[in-house]
Amino acid sequence: MTKKNIQYITSESVTEGHPDKVCDQIADAILDELLKQDPLSRVACEVVASTGLVLVMGEITTKAYCDIPTVVKKTLKEIGYCDRFAGFDADSCAILTSINEQSPDIALGVDQSLEAKAGESDFTLGAGDQGIMFGYACRDTENFMPLPITLAHRLCKGLADARKSGRAKTFLPDGKAQVTVCYEDGKPQFIDTVVVSTQHRADASLEEVKEEVFQEVIYKLLPQDLLLPETKYYINPTGRFVVGGPQGDSGLTGRKLIVDTYGGFSRHGGGSFSGKDPTKVDRSASYAARYVAKNLVAAGLADRVEVLLAYAIGVAEPVAIDVDCFGTAKLPEAEIAQLVRDNFDLRPQAIIKNFDLQRPLYRQVAAYGHFGRDDLDLPWERTDKLDLLREKAGL
């Protein structure tokens, strides 16, 4: 009798009011405003938030004008920090800026790639930095994302939707969710544990908060066939969560990398996305790696795929492309990697062109994940290469 492989895998997400996610959204809102006016803007924008303070800093080279304090306040109000009960207010917080232009040494390599300088490429852009990027896809869900992170995102977005619609009377903007799923031989079986922590009004009791979390979020958004009588629930397990957002904990851009990607199912190169224009391969190549992985799985070449891309600053072509199918490949992995090299143009300028990335589309993915977003039409989520891949693979 074959022994079954049982795993309990956990992923977390955070709401748009979490202090780190506040910073991501502000950074990407600034990026969007600059790209709207000047698609060639070079942006590396970092944001820090603390009690009564937002600091915007970084390197920006652009022909556009951005009234940064106005963008910051608008973003905070959209999140929900315009209520004295939340402890952080868009109209009264201090907003500081410290902005410089992009280093001319970096611009040398980005403006003209090593290949273009040698007359070997029609695309001029080089990678904006060295780095390693990963993309991942699997068959857990219809959007080819791991189930735990998909459910955690769903819960966090549900907290925000219930708060903004008025269905939930006790919720405030900050919050987190965590979902543990039991896997058997690599396939999800049931939800073992659900953790939800939501900031709430000071006059709300724990019982009132729990009631709204269950009725407006958990029972509405989690698949009932995966919930068992034994499923464990922890709702605001400390018993009180009134002080939250940047008042309760400082926020920083790029500190929720695993929330942004695959919930821990895939490795991460370490570079954050938010506040970076698409010449930064931390962002654009991560999107391309997801696109490659998703198309490989959709084409039936494997059930799970992790794609690695590595770049050198100022060089257009990736210095490494690798594919790991975790034992699920229908072809030798070396052949799949060659299919990727032959059928995907992974030079930064090609990625930017194919995905039309020099436009304002980043604020919308700065919370609830950059991948698997069924609610958005994201170019890196399309599966338009699957027929070509099947033909080339002979499937």
Side-chain angles (χ1 to χ4, degrees):
M1 182 174 172
T2 304
K3 186 177 179 180
K4 294 179 180 179
N5 179 27
I6 305 294
Q7 292 179 290
Y8 289 83
I9 303 179
T10 304
S11 295
E12 75 153 352
S13 182
V14 299
T15 66
E16 61 204 65
H18 184 280
D20 295 328
K21 273 287 144 220
V22 168
C23 294
D24 287 342
Q25 290 167 92
I26 291 171
D28 276 338
I30 292 169
L31 172 63
D32 279 355
E33 181 60 31
L34 293 169
L35 291 176
K36 187 189 306 180
Q37 302 174 49
D38 178 8
L40 301 180
S41 296
R42 298 280 173 81
V43 183
C45 179
E46 305 285 351
V47 179
V48 178
S50 187
T51 304
L53 172 68
V54 173
L55 169 62
V56 181
M57 57 188 177
E59 296 77 45
I60 296 176
T61 300
T62 183
K63 296 177 182 177
Y65 170 73
C66 178
D67 185 344
I68 289 176
T70 297
V71 173
V72 171
K73 289 182 180 182
K74 181 175 184 289
T75 305
L76 291 173
K77 288 179 180 179
E78 289 173 351
I79 293 169
Y81 285 114
C82 50
D83 183 337
R84 62 185 177 85
F85 294 109
F88 191 82
D89 180 55
D91 288 325
S92 63
C93 71
I95 301 170
L96 305 179
T97 61
S98 178
I99 304 295
N100 298 304
E101 289 192 343
Q102 183 181 64
S103 162
D105 297 338
I106 294 175
L108 280 173
V110 180
D111 293 340
Q112 191 173 35
S113 68
L114 189 67
E115 296 93 329
K117 290 171 183 173
E120 299 171 354
S121 175
D122 54 338
F123 278 171
T124 57
L125 283 183
D129 201 352
Q130 71 177 44
I132 309 161
M133 294 81 205
F134 293 93
Y136 181 83
C138 64
R139 293 196 173 277
D140 279 12
T141 61
E142 292 182 359
N143 57 14
F144 298 96
M145 286 289 286
L147 182 61
I149 188 65
T150 298
L151 297 180
H153 282 324
R154 192 180 297 174
L155 290 174
C156 283
K157 193 168 189 307
L159 287 172
D161 291 344
R163 168 176 59 85
K164 290 180 173 181
S165 69
R167 298 195 315 272
K169 307 299 183 183
T170 66
F171 298 172
L172 291 175
D174 196 358
K176 291 183 174 183
Q178 186 172 282
V179 178
T180 300
V181 174
C182 176
Y183 281 74
E184 182 179 296
D185 294 332
K187 299 187 185 318
Q189 300 298 309
F190 61 87
I191 298 171
D192 180 76
T193 307
V194 178
V195 182
V196 177
S197 294
T198 179
Q199 185 187 13
H200 60 85
R201 295 173 63 105
D203 58 357
S205 68
L206 179 59
E207 289 69 28
E208 290 173 315
V209 174
K210 284 185 174 181
E211 177 69 15
E212 290 195 331
V213 169
F214 275 109
Q215 297 302 324
E216 298 298 334
V217 181
I218 290 176
Y219 292 153
K220 287 185 177 181
L221 299 176
L222 292 183
Q224 296 301 303
D225 59 325
L226 295 180
L227 295 175
L228 303 180
E230 297 80 19
T231 297
K232 300 179 285 293
Y233 302 94
Y234 297 95
I235 313 301
N236 281 21
T238 68
R240 181 177 170 85
F241 185 4
V242 173
V243 179
Q247 181 189 24
D249 192 8
S250 60
L252 178 64
T253 317
R255 204 157 54 180
K256 285 290 173 282
L257 305 182
I258 303 306
V259 172
D260 286 339
T261 54
Y262 308 101
F265 274 71
S266 172
R267 290 172 288 180
H268 196 290
S272 67
F273 302 156
S274 292
K276 295 179 180 177
D277 75 84
T279 66
K280 279 74 172 174
V281 284
D282 282 336
R283 171 163 238 156
S284 54
S286 294
Y287 293 168
R290 161 65 177 175
Y291 174 69
V292 173
K294 186 173 182 179
N295 275 271
L296 291 173
V297 174
L301 273 67
D303 294 332
R304 293 174 60 202
V305 172
E306 181 186 78
V307 174
L308 175 151
L309 304 177
Y311 291 83
I313 187 167
V315 180
E317 291 285 353
V319 298
I321 298 173
D322 189 48
V323 175
D324 187 347
C325 298
F326 307 96
T328 69
K330 306 302 187 289
L331 299 173
E333 287 181 348
E335 292 184 23
I336 296 176
Q338 191 59 50
L339 282 173
V340 173
R341 295 185 187 96
D342 292 343
N343 295 285
F344 294 88
D345 192 340
L346 297 169
R347 295 173 293 173
Q349 193 167 341
I351 296 169
I352 291 169
K353 179 181 178 182
N354 292 339
F355 292 162
D356 190 16
L357 293 180
Q358 290 175 318
R359 58 190 170 104
L361 52 73
Y362 301 107
R363 163 73 170 82
Q364 62 184 343
V365 292
Y368 312 119
H370 293 245
F371 307 119
R373 295 293 297 272
D374 292 335
D375 56 324
L376 302 172
D377 180 19
L378 301 174
W380 54 87
E381 288 296 315
R382 296 170 187 164
T383 53
D384 49 6
K385 291 272 193 179
L386 63 91
D387 290 334
L388 174 65
L389 290 170
R390 285 171 178 160
E391 177 187 345
K392 297 291 184 180
L395 297 180

